[in-house]
Amino acid sequence: MKKMKTGIPGMDEILHGGIPERDVVLLSGGPGTGKSIFSQQFLWNGLQMGEPGVYVAFEEHPVQVRQNMAGFGWDVKEYEEKGIFAMVDAFTAGIGKSKEYEKYIVRDLTDVKEFIDVLGQAVKDVKASRVVIDSVTTLYINKPTMARSIVLQLKRVLAGLGCTSIFVSQISVGERGFGGPGVEHGVDGIIRLDLDEIDGELKRSLMVWKMRGTSHSLKRHPFDIDNEGIKVHFNKILKKKEEVML
Amino acid sequence: MKKMKTGIPGMDEILHGGIPERDVVLLSGGPGTGKSIFSQQFLWNGLQMGEPGVYVAFEEHPVQVRQNMAGFGWDVKEYEEKGIFAMVDAFTAGIGKSKEYEKYIVRDLTDVKEFIDVLGQAVKDVKASRVVIDSVTTLYINKPTMARSIVLQLKRVLAGLGCTSIFVSQISVGERGFGGPGVEHGVDGIIRLDLDEIDGELKRSLMVWKMRGTSHSLKRHPFDIDNEGIKVHFNKILKKKEEVML
Amino acid sequence: MKKMKTGIPGMDEILHGGIPERDVVLLSGGPGTGKSIFSQQFLWNGLQMGEPGVYVAFEEHPVQVRQNMAGFGWDVKEYEEKGIFAMVDAFTAGIGKSKEYEKYIVRDLTDVKEFIDVLGQAVKDVKASRVVIDSVTTLYINKPTMARSIVLQLKRVLAGLGCTSIFVSQISVGERGFGGPGVEHGVDGIIRLDLDEIDGELKRSLMVWKMRGTSHSLKRHPFDIDNEGIKVHFNKILKKKEEVML
Amino acid sequence: MKKMKTGIPGMDEILHGGIPERDVVLLSGGPGTGKSIFSQQFLWNGLQMGEPGVYVAFEEHPVQVRQNMAGFGWDVKEYEEKGIFAMVDAFTAGIGKSKEYEKYIVRDLTDVKEFIDVLGQAVKDVKASRVVIDSVTTLYINKPTMARSIVLQLKRVLAGLGCTSIFVSQISVGERGFGGPGVEHGVDGIIRLDLDEIDGELKRSLMVWKMRGTSHSLKRHPFDIDNEGIKVHFNKILKKKEEVML
Amino acid sequence: MKKMKTGIPGMDEILHGGIPERDVVLLSGGPGTGKSIFSQQFLWNGLQMGEPGVYVAFEEHPVQVRQNMAGFGWDVKEYEEKGIFAMVDAFTAGIGKSKEYEKYIVRDLTDVKEFIDVLGQAVKDVKASRVVIDSVTTLYINKPTMARSIVLQLKRVLAGLGCTSIFVSQISVGERGFGGPGVEHGVDGIIRLDLDEIDGELKRSLMVWKMRGTSHSLKRHPFDIDNEGIKVHFNKILKKKEEVML
Amino acid sequence: MKKMKTGIPGMDEILHGGIPERDVVLLSGGPGTGKSIFSQQFLWNGLQMGEPGVYVAFEEHPVQVRQNMAGFGWDVKEYEEKGIFAMVDAFTAGIGKSKEYEKYIVRDLTDVKEFIDVLGQAVKDVKASRVVIDSVTTLYINKPTMARSIVLQLKRVLAGLGCTSIFVSQISVGERGFGGPGVEHGVDGIIRLDLDEIDGELKRSLMVWKMRGTSHSLKRHPFDIDNEGIKVHFNKILKKKEEVML
């Protein structure tokens, strides 16, 4: 089984090589845990290895996403021009100037079918092997009973197109789980990013909860975010304070 | 009373011989706990002992299920050809190419009656003595008040056909119980798979909560998953940290 | 006040003689706690003492119930033939072959009035002094606001007919209480069966929470289930780990 | 301010003399805590002191209530005949034989107005100074938004008639509070009866949470129930295990 | 900034002088915590300092309120006659005899506009500088989404009329917060009264959580209620047992 | 990247220079935590540095807001006259005298579009580089499913106009998170103000949970409020008592 290296320092050691090809990984975390940075770093590193990618921007203006990435030294513009990276604008609905310079625009944000069509086109155009949807939560935030079927549809399409995908899942601070049972059982892998207050200080850590098709570290690893992105301490363990399990 | 050996290393010791014939066992666990692997291993081991089986795929594409199984060395294709194993496709609804090569397809996934008809046909065709429904949760995820009656219907049909069955039940991380009172009281046995963070590391364990018609271990046993599947440490106990009972 | 001996080893010591005649006792517990075994043992022991009984099967096929009982050596068939024991089939709705050999069938499981009529007939026919409804939960599982009035109706009818009754109440793992305030305040007695994980092992215990018309042990007693049924250790106490009360 | 002695051993010491005249006291507790016994003992003791009383039976058949009371030696029949005690039948709705021998019957149990009329008549007929409604919870069990206004109406009527009243409030095991904010803020006094498992044994205790118009013990007092009713240990304190407050 | 002395022993020390003029203070507490006594004492002390006041009676009959106050030696009748104190009857809806002797009656208790008109009239008539609404909770108990706008309306009117006001807020035992986010963010100050069981005994304490326009003690102070009302121990601290914060 | 200094003593040290230009920061806290003071101090300090600002008053009358600010020595009137500060009245709906002297009035408080128009006009008129919406919670308090889209709309407009913004978010005492998942994932930064009882005394602290485009302290810092506003102890840490994480 081929694995896609994340290229994130320390992460491939934890994944025993990378994310198995065609897997859909739920990247789950509360606000400020680094989900967008992780997934952008995954795409950027793919581009450096010659693997085309698609980023779906649901939460930020595509222009802002490009700026954020550039702030870490990940300037995707030349890759967009070369036709090996695509940004899907699922933020502006085509309102404002974005329609003049964005190529892939989802106009009706409540229409999953249209979204899948636009995404599929972008994937085919750049021959993407890596896809990030940031976030998948937005697709069902106001229709939770649809969550499972939306995630399964996306998984079917993207796996069918040969992509390895990260679905960003937004959860609340202190929420257990990864975004709801319908979602977390439907994906191939789950990585959770945590930001916990321990003795008056916020600590970052991540843990791989499942990953179909590979063994992986079962430990909680601390990580840092600096101006080069995420670095995971694959040889360290963070022990959280004792939890009360309900 | 005849017992069906699971063939999973360590598990039959825990079950004092196996699962009593015609019992319906709820196999309950959160995401990443190994439910699908456990149930596929149960079927595969049955095939090795000459016991035909049926696997109902609700959560993954049948092709993917076969690949996943093959990854553990459990290649079911020849058994399908021999007519002693059947895959029920309750995933694609017959959309796409699956209808060309899948024999048992549930077209309307909201129609429990149709599902039971297709399942019954598969069971009769291969003379199945083992059945896995992965997962039964999907059948009532959006209609929880129907859960009890759906489970009882399935149990009646499958016991009537002489099958010993595993119903996979998806629960959330940290959820107590096994999938709702209507379900957990209706089945003959309950096995729960757990994945708990202890001192910064995820630990796997399982416990048999009930099993009609046999005594069994009442202890929490650790288990591992490697490239040969599940191995249960029937002579070890895992003590979880103290829980708060509500 | 006359008391009905349960005949379950250790139990009558705990009840200071037995269940007061005409009381309705809620037998409450999670899945796998032994509710059905307890209530079947109560009926069987009554038959040995010459006290006719009725068992209402809501959760299992009547044939299966008879088999389960026979597995403990409690073969009720000859008592059915003698006309001092009756099984009420509230499981099949008369569908299938059961209508050929079951005498008491509830056809519309949502019709409480019909149920009470069938039950009343069975009670009168065998002159039952003991009745078990397994479970009463099923009667209001999808209409919780009716729970209180259904329980009170049944209590009125059965007390009026001179029966001493056990109402099995299904609760979830870890649920406090006994099946909802409308139910637990309406009955004369409450016995709760527990199955708790303590240091990696499941432990069985029971406690009598109330019993109108008699004093009783207020202690938590461990019990075992073996191939002769339940045995309660009336001179032992189980101390659960400290609970957090909410 | 005149106080009504409860006559329950130890209780008047706790209440610094008794319940202030015309107060409405919420007697709150889970199943099996002794609410009915407490309130019946309050009425019986009133009768011994020449104070007429009314008992409203919502939860048990009036005949059963009289039997239960007689079981403690509190035979109210002669007092009913003398016209200084009345039983209001709010249980049978006049169905069955009760209409032949019960004088005060509430026919439509959902009609609060009719209930108040019947209750008012009974109070006037026997010139009641003590009233027990067992339980007031039943009046709003399926219409919680009406709880506050129903309790305030009853309070207004009964205080207007010069009665000192106990309203029995049914709560769930482990429930905090006394029956809902609308109710517990509307009454003049609150006494809570508790039944808690401590080290494997059920312990009874009570505490007065408020009592308008009098000081009172603020301590948790253990009590027993034997065949003479309730005895409170006014000079003992029960310390429950540490609670987690949410 | 002028401050209104509460006159409650120990309280003005805690408030560093009193409640800032025109502030609206939420006085929040569970049943039996002394909210009505605190607010009545605040009004009575105002009258002694020549500051007219208005009390809105939502929870008790105005006659009862006057009696309760008189029980502490706070007889407001002469002040009503002098026209410097007014009672608003928001309890009887004008039903019964109250309409013969109450001057300010809210007839439709669901009509906030009418309530504000009646309250405004009373405030103007007596030139009130102190107002108590006991309780404001009743105004939105069955329409929680209106809570914020009702509180803001009242605040606007009363501040506009130059009043310093106490809004009594009823909360449940063990409830965190002060009566809902819409309410607690809308007021100028919050004082919470607590009644907590510590080692088998109920302990009274209060804490000022916010007070616009003044510094104040941030400590939890114990207080007592005796036949002269509330006395706060401004130089003592009560440390509650460790709480679990969720 | 340019940063906007908050000017709040100790805060810019924590933010490693200030809030990145054009970021939208959620300022989240319970009642009495100092949210309004923090945001007013941010605006006032901007004015001292020549940076125009807009304050949207949703929770208090604009006149009251000006008075509150003046109480800290922050008299904005001259800045309003100079046309470099604007107050948006989203409180009175133009009812009362405010329409005579307030320039920016939101008439229909349920109309987000009108609100954005008025706000946009104010921002353009004063060429605002700092904006405070106090609070954004009010905009969706009764329509939680709209929270995400409202926050994203506002963010788009304000970032488009070049403003750096603080959105005040009201949460309940003891509530985890920052105001709901839709909101907390949509903003660029999150600062939470806390007020916790520790050993019988309320303690103030704040923590920066995320801030796009800058590193920042990850520690919990204590702060004080006195008559000059907020002072943060950037070189101190507050360790809260151990929390139970659910």
Side-chain angles (χ1 to χ4, degrees), chain E residues 145 148 185 212 218 220 246, chain F residues 64 68 171 174 197 200 202:
Chain E
T145 62
R148 180 182 172 275
H185 287 278
R212 190 175 55 74
L218 290 168
R220 176 175 292 283
L246 291 195
Chain F
Q64 184 67 51
N68 293 350
I171 59 176
E197 183 176 355
L202 293 171

Side-chain angles (χ1 to χ4, degrees), chain B residues 215-216 218, chain C residues 8-11 14 32-35 37-38 41 72 74 193-195 201-206 221-236 238:
Chain B
S215 64
H216 54 84
L218 290 168
Chain C
I8 297 169
M11 195 66 215
I14 286 167
T33 51
K35 300 179 299 296
I37 298 170
F38 186 106
Q41 199 167 353
F72 291 102
W74 311 328
L193 308 185
D194 283 293
L195 184 63
E201 187 162 1
L202 292 171
K203 299 285 185 187
R204 297 185 188 284
S205 66
L206 61 74
H221 298 280
F223 70 91
D224 296 315
I225 301 177
D226 64 17
N227 57 16
E228 295 180 324
I230 286 175
K231 286 194 182 73
V232 191
H233 302 285
F234 69 91
N235 47 14
K236 287 188 186 163
L238 182 79

Side-chain angles (χ1 to χ4, degrees), chain A residues 3-8 12 17-19 42 45-46 49 51 130:
Chain A
K3 289 186 181 169
M4 311 293 274
K5 282 193 184 309
T6 64
I8 296 170
D12 295 316
I19 299 172
F42 166 76
N45 291 336
M49 295 181 259
E51 297 176 356
R130 298 183 178 213

Side-chain angles (χ1 to χ4, degrees), chain F residues 1-69:
Chain F
M1 175 172 287
K2 197 188 152 196
K3 289 186 181 170
M4 310 293 275
K5 283 194 183 309
T6 64
I8 297 170
M11 195 66 215
D12 295 316
E13 287 84 347
I14 286 166
L15 289 167
H16 295 182
I19 298 172
E21 206 180 19
R22 295 198 186 204
D23 268 15
V24 168
V25 175
L26 201 69
L27 182 68
S28 186
T33 50
K35 299 179 299 298
S36 294
I37 298 171
F38 185 107
S39 61
Q40 291 161 0
Q41 198 167 355
F42 166 76
L43 283 183
W44 174 258
N45 291 337
L47 293 176
Q48 306 317 302
M49 294 182 260
E51 297 177 354
V54 168
Y55 183 91
V56 182
F58 267 107
E59 309 300 317
E60 295 256 24
H61 198 292
V63 171
Q64 184 67 51
V65 173
R66 289 185 192 97
Q67 282 180 16
N68 293 350
M69 292 185 72

Side-chain angles (χ1 to χ4, degrees), chain A residues 198-225:
Chain A
I198 299 178
D199 286 335
E201 187 163 359
L202 292 170
K203 299 287 186 187
R204 298 184 187 284
S205 66
L206 60 75
M207 191 146 53
V208 180
W209 282 78
K210 73 172 181 181
M211 194 62 63
R212 190 175 54 74
T214 181
S215 63
H216 54 83
S217 167
L218 290 167
K219 301 198 170 80
R220 175 175 293 282
H221 298 280
F223 69 92
D224 296 315
I225 302 178

Side-chain angles (χ1 to χ4, degrees), chain E residues 138-229:
Chain E
T138 302
L139 280 165
Y140 44 78
I141 194 166
N142 288 329
K143 42 186 174 178
T145 62
M146 297 299 294
R148 180 182 172 275
S149 74
I150 290 172
V151 164
L152 288 186
Q153 262 188 77
L154 287 170
K155 181 179 152 185
R156 209 176 308 160
V157 168
L158 290 169
L161 290 166
C163 303
T164 304
S165 308
I166 289 178
F167 289 4
V168 173
S169 174
Q170 298 175 339
I171 59 176
S172 298
V173 175
E175 183 181 337
R176 301 196 63 170
F178 313 106
V183 175
E184 59 209 32
H185 287 278
V187 291
D188 302 307
I190 296 174
I191 300 171
R192 178 165 163 153
L193 308 185
D194 282 295
L195 184 63
D196 294 295
E197 183 176 355
I198 299 177
D199 286 335
E201 187 163 0
L202 293 171
K203 299 286 186 186
R204 298 186 187 282
S205 66
L206 61 75
M207 190 147 52
V208 179
W209 283 78
K210 73 171 181 181
M211 194 62 61
R212 190 175 55 74
T214 182
S215 63
H216 55 83
S217 167
L218 290 168
K219 301 198 169 80
R220 176 175 292 283
H221 298 279
F223 71 91
D224 296 315
I225 302 178
D226 63 16
N227 56 16
E228 296 180 323

